[in-house]
Amino acid sequence: MYFLKDRQGVLSPYEGKLEDLAPAHAAEIEEAFEVSAYFVQELTWVPAGKKSKPPSKAAARVQPCIVELTSGTLSLEEINPGELREDAAKIYPIDKHLLRKFVPIKVSLGKSVPEKKSGAARKAATGAS
């Protein structure tokens, strides 16, 4: 799953491949954030005899996350997804941060621009098994 950030800074969820974005829609997107999981905060019961350890500074794992607030809005923040956040419904840790970038493709004279092939198509074309 991806979260797309447009030129106005608005985040929106997107399921599918980035290559499948319509060209007009892709032109408006500045950044894409890939996520594979999310955290939901739940209240749980623990035995009264067990005391929780105070959090150490080394254990604090601050990372970029997309936070879905209980109001339904999305925000990009650097937080520890394991800490309690009362206004958050879901916390999505970011796996990959993708930016738009032009990549030069060399095209021989008399040939058209090569199309991207999937890994399976490349293996079939080279005869590798």
Side-chain angles (χ1 to χ4, degrees):
M1 178 177 183
Y2 295 95
F3 284 91
L4 306 176
K5 183 177 176 184
D6 63 12
R7 291 182 183 168
Q8 290 78 29
V10 177
L11 288 165
S12 59
Y14 177 74
E15 292 192 29
K17 296 181 181 178
L18 292 177
E19 294 83 22
D20 297 340
L21 279 173
H25 185 69
E28 292 295 317
I29 302 303
E30 289 290 318
E31 298 174 282
F33 303 97
E34 183 178 1
V35 297
S36 60
Y38 65 88
F39 289 88
V40 178
Q41 303 177 103
E42 286 187 354
L43 182 64
T44 186
W45 294 92
V46 295
K50 291 192 174 186
K51 294 182 180 179
S52 62
K53 295 179 183 176
S56 67
K57 291 186 179 181
R61 190 162 172 248
V62 176
Q63 66 185 73
C65 298
I66 294 179
V67 180
E68 182 179 338
L69 302 176
T70 53
S71 63
T73 58
L74 298 170
S75 66
L76 177 62
E77 301 176 25
E78 291 209 10
I79 62 170
N80 181 356
E83 289 183 358
L84 177 64
R85 175 85 187 258
E86 305 235 354
D87 61 343
K90 294 179 184 174
I91 299 173
Y92 299 87
I94 295 173
D95 295 334
K96 288 184 186 175
H97 180 190
L98 306 168
L99 299 172
R100 288 187 344 173
K101 180 180 177 182
F102 286 104
V103 178
I105 299 174
K106 183 177 180 181
V107 179
S108 300
L109 292 174
K111 293 186 179 179
S112 63
V113 176
E115 292 185 23
K116 292 182 180 178
K117 293 183 181 179
S118 67
R122 276 184 265 154
K123 284 182 181 177
T126 59
S129 56

